Each structure stands twice: as C-alpha cells, then as structure tokens.
Amino acid sequence: MKPTSTRFLPVADAALDSAQLQRALTTATGRFTAGRLAAGAELANWQSLRNQGRAIREEAIHRLDELLLLLEQNVRAQGGEVFWARDGVEACTYITDLAHRRGVTLAVKSKSMTTEEIALNDALDRAGVTPIETDLGEYILQLAGDTPSHFLAPAVHWNRDQVAQLFVDKLGIPWTQDVGTLTRAARAALRRRFLEAGMGITGANFGVAETGTIVVVENEGNVRLTTSAPAIHVAVMGLEKVIPRFEDLEVLLTLLPRSATGQRMSSYVSLLNGRRRPGEPDGPTEFHLVLLDNGRSRILADPEGRESLYCIRCAACLAVCPVYRRVGGHAYGWVYQGPIGAVLTPQYLGPEAGAPLPFASSLCGACRDACPVKIDLPRLLLHQRERVVEDVVKRHSGFGALGARIAGWFLQTPARFAFAGALVRTFLHLTGTGRWLRNVPGPLRGWIASRDLPKPPARPLRDLVGK
Ligand code: SF4
C-alpha cells in the first residue's frame, strides 16, 4: 500500500462531509468500545492482566535479539525455513522467488497488515502470481480496488448496500441485502481458490520463541484453510511480534480479543508449528517464516519511541480516538491508523511523510486508557511532534535563519517594533470588512477556518497605556 499520509487534511475534510462514513464509523467504533468495556468488566483481574501484558511486551522488546534467535532456532528445528528481511523489497523478493521456484501462480492470503505494509500483493502481481485475499473484509476491498481503513475491520467504511452492489457487479449474484447470502457468495467464490492455490500467506499475531510457534487469531476460518490447504505456508511477521514463552499466550490471548472486538476468545486460534510431519493427514509440506525488520530496528534504537513496538494491534485506541472516529482510516494515508498509526507511520516512513499525523490528536488520553498493554500513546505522540518539528527546522534552516534575522531587526528598537505592528495591523484590516478576520492568506487561513479571531484594534494597547 503506497503511503499518502501528507494528504491527511483533504481526506479528513471529505470524510467529515460523508454522512454514510460518519454513520459507519459511529456504529462500528461504538460497538467495539462497548464490547471492550463489557468484556473487560467481566474479569476482576482485568487491570492486573493489562499490567502483565505490558510486562510481557516490555520484556520481549528488551530481549528482542536473543528471543528472535531462539525463535529461528526452534522454527528450523521443526523443519521450517526462516528468512530475515531487512525491508519490504527483500521480503517480497524472497516470497516471489520462492513462488517461481515452486511454479506457484496463485496464492491465498489471510488478513495481514504486515503484508500490506510491504505492498506484497503488488509484488506478487508483478511477479505473475495472483494473490487472493480470503478475509471477507479484505476480499471486498480487493474486488473493489479499495484499501483498508481499519487494521482490524478493513472494510469498516463499506455498508451493506455497497457490498450488495459490488457482489452483483463482480460475482454476478442477484442483488440482496441478506448478510448470510452475501457471505455464502464470497465463501463459494473463495473455497475453490484455497484448493487451487500453491501458496498460503499469513501474518502472525505472535511468534513464541521457546517453542517456535506462530500464532494467528481470526474469526472466519480462512486462516485455517490458508495454512493447511496449499502446499506452502509463508508467514510474514514483524520482528516485534516475538514473545518469550508459550504461557504468555494465556495473558495476551485474553487481552487481545476482549480489547479488539469484545470477544472472550477469537473464533479460531491457530498455533502453527512448522510443516506437516510424517503421518499427519494435512498441513503444508513447506513452512517459511519471513522475519521483517523494515524500520523496526530503527524504532528499537530510539529509547523514547520503542514503546510503540509493544503494540498487539487490537485497534482499541482507534475506536476511542475522537479524531479517528470522525475522519476514518484513509486520512492516515497508510496501513496503520488512529493514535498508534499516528505514532508508527512517521517512525516507519520518516517525519516528513508522516508529518501531519502526530498533530491529529487532542491528546485526550482515551487511547492510553483503552490500550490493553498500557502504551502511553499521548507521550509517544508528543515525541513524534518533536521529531517532526526538528525535521522541519533542519530542512528549512536557511529560511528559518532568514526569518529570525528579519524578526531580530524589528525587535531591536521600540520604533521598529511599533512600525512592524502598524504594518501587520494595516495588512489585516485590508483582508476584509467586519469585526472578524475571515479572509487571510497562508497557514493562518486554516487556523481561523474553525475559530473566530477578531481584527486587531486600530490603535495598539501600548499607545492607549502610554497616554
Ligand atoms: S496501541 Fe494499544 S490500543 Fe492501540 S492497537 Fe496497539 S495495543 Fe491496541
């Protein structure tokens, strides 16, 4: 997925004007939050679980190098291959080369934001391998040529009527609003693809270092088919998804579904230990784990920013964020949305590409309160704001220095200061009639678009005080 985060404001503006999107966002985020609160309230030790979850993620990130080597060793011991990808290009090349070597022309995929991050579908297409998304939301988006707007519910911005029309156009079924009929149509179209595909590609929610187990949670059963029907299973996992022990899953698999959808448990939890063993009736004959860095080492090296690697992608912070709930996910311009997206995108893509995102927050703290692993998102947002400002100052240092020299000249004497004030007052009075500033050029226009700013008085306060 190509990043477009610099378009935050125009996309956000369009989102605010879309009544359909506003309805969809209000309904979905309201349902997610209500579910999370109810599911958490069921457990007397919910806060203690959150502390434990944070401790597990903190330990994993602190011991990342050692745990990843242990994970690799245990995956290999079970007959799996492990490939360390420095970036998306290396990861995509490894997977497409593997497909070519094995003569694969069709790959089925389960929902994976890590593969969205590296634009794997585009790479597969270019390499002559047809990727088929098998998560229902992702399948809808693929049919429509659209992109995810929520990393848990990718088609949250689509409504039932739109899906009905899409299935008429693309699957040739009669128009119906019945969800069961629509789902069965997608299921029928996808089922044969599982059987035809030579490769199944998934992400990974967790990789357990001590056992070499790749854990994938889902609600539709498509991961089960993706990882068992094709001869080759490739799991693409961000480096940060490793956890130390199998028993850590007890905590994390309690926190994740309750925080994500309000479920006590996801419908399917796949614990995958390498390829099919002799005597086993099903499963892939090859298993490949692609460990993706793609900027994660850089984030790890930043003591202020590394807390963002604790994220378990539950999307609870999106549902409570007053900005996400109004502007939706496309405004964030890339794979990760909401408060965690506003923190991750500038770190992955650089402060310039992610520049507007850390500022798209009221810093109300609702995301920190919702986060199951207690990530201090407001602090991380402030840290990214600092980085963006430092970057802008660095890139425009010549312009900034000139501005500072001009300001310095005007500030040197009271007469020059008064002269500058008179110039600004005259200019602002030329921008239109009336009491309020309405028609000003440059960045000030955006600032007053939603605020009232009175025109300066004809005579400054200093003159009146001086009388
Ligand atoms: S930052 Fe916390 S709340 Fe947001 S997606 Fe990650 S784990 Fe969930």
Side-chain angles (χ1 to χ4, degrees), residues 20 34 91 100 178 221 234 403-404 457 462:
Q20 184 260 318
H100 282 162
D178 179 58
V234 179
R462 285 184 317 116

Side-chain angles (χ1 to χ4, degrees), residues 444-461:
L444 198 56
R445 182 181 303 161
W447 198 83
I448 66 164
S450 55
R451 299 171 182 85
D452 290 327
L453 185 66
K455 283 186 176 169
R459 294 179 63 199
L461 181 65

